Amino acid sequence: MKQQLSTIILPLNFKVSGRFFTWVSLFLALIVMPTPPSFSNPRLPSNSSVLPFIKSSFFVAPFEETTISCKINNVIAKGVSSKEASFFYMEQAEGVFAKFLNMSLEDGDENLFALSLTDVENEKMDSCFTSNIFYGNEHKRNDQNFSNDIGSTVFMNNSSLIFEEKNGESTISRDGWIKIKSCENGKISGSFKFIIEGKISRKEVKGEFVNVKIGIE
């Protein structure tokens, strides 16, 4: 029986003073989950010429305005901004690599949105993601995700969203998708839509991000 593997980020309740919301906790959740030993083998080039937009005096990306919009149950969220967008490259099995995107957004009401996706389709040694739709594992179309069948294990694209309200209550959703429209010059653009089943109510969270700068972990 084949094993199907994909990134899993556990629901978290953030109750830190000042509501300091970083991706450290998300990476810890990724690292501590049971995985084969090869999962702990990150692979990032030390030569910045492979990633020319990082600390390179020979490449200057053209100025492009960053815009982010979001709606919660079709109500426009005001003052949405990107807190952080990070890239991580890791070996999943011998010769099989995946790219991870973690993006945190915050609106003017102090709601936090943690978007995450795994890309096993584009294994090139760069920081760009495949222009595709990444369905969450609980979405009805998750079987349309790109997959890499190595015989004993199937690795698949996937995505998720953690939504944290200003009262500190957080909920994870895998019933949705993230669509990458473009990824170049160290910036990424796309859209997302997730259904969040809370303790009391059901929320639809959707939005769009344009020219968000990616940081390298």
Side-chain angles (χ1 to χ4, degrees):
M1 180 177 180
K2 295 182 180 179
Q3 181 182 10
Q4 180 176 310
L5 294 180
S6 56
T7 303
I8 298 177
I9 300 178
L10 301 177
L12 303 172
N13 287 318
F14 300 95
K15 296 183 179 179
V16 181
S17 176
R19 303 182 69 247
F20 182 68
F21 187 80
T22 70
W23 283 105
V24 174
S25 58
L26 296 183
F27 280 119
L28 288 176
L30 172 65
I31 293 171
V32 300
M33 71 177 183
T35 55
S38 59
F39 273 63
S40 61
N41 182 14
R43 180 180 174 187
L44 281 175
S46 58
N47 186 348
S48 63
S49 63
V50 180
L51 303 172
F53 55 87
I54 305 173
K55 298 181 180 179
S56 173
S57 59
F58 300 100
F59 180 87
V60 178
F63 174 78
E64 296 172 309
E65 183 181 2
T66 298
T67 59
I68 302 172
S69 61
C70 184
K71 290 183 178 181
I72 303 175
N73 289 339
N74 287 320
V75 177
I76 297 176
K78 298 180 180 179
V80 182
S81 62
S82 173
K83 305 297 291 182
E84 184 179 9
S86 59
F87 165 89
F88 193 69
Y89 192 51
M90 181 178 286
E91 187 174 24
Q92 305 295 280
E94 185 175 358
V96 179
F97 290 85
K99 297 178 179 181
F100 302 90
L101 172 68
N102 289 318
M103 181 186 301
S104 61
L105 309 176
E106 183 176 6
D107 67 14
D109 292 326
E110 300 183 41
N111 294 309
L112 302 171
F113 313 84
L115 294 165
S116 177
L117 69 79
T118 302
D119 183 359
V120 299
E121 184 174 356
N122 183 357
E123 295 187 349
K124 292 182 180 179
M125 195 81 160
D126 56 29
S127 65
C128 282
F129 296 89
T130 307
S131 295
N132 204 344
I133 299 179
F134 297 77
Y135 294 102
N137 292 337
E138 297 172 8
H139 192 276
K140 61 183 180 180
R141 296 184 181 178
N142 69 340
D143 60 343
Q144 297 182 18
N145 279 333
F146 176 87
S147 62
N148 184 0
D149 187 343
I150 64 172
S152 59
T153 306
V154 179
F155 297 93
M156 299 183 66
N157 287 352
N158 71 93
S159 65
S160 63
L161 167 71
I162 294 178
F163 177 69
E164 182 190 343
E165 300 181 72
K166 58 184 177 182
N167 62 7
E169 181 180 344
S170 59
T171 307
I172 188 170
S173 173
R174 299 182 183 91
D175 184 6
W177 49 264
I178 299 175
K179 180 179 181 180
I180 301 301
K181 296 180 180 179
S182 67
C183 183
E184 57 185 357
N185 297 335
K187 295 183 179 181
I188 193 166
S189 299
S191 56
F192 61 92
K193 180 180 179 181
F194 284 88
I195 301 298
I196 298 175
E197 298 289 351
K199 294 180 180 179
I200 301 176
S201 61
R202 180 177 184 269
K203 294 183 177 67
E204 178 188 80
V205 178
K206 59 183 178 181
E208 184 176 10
F209 50 92
V210 179
N211 295 326
V212 173
K213 185 177 180 180
I214 305 173
I216 307 299
E217 292 292 334

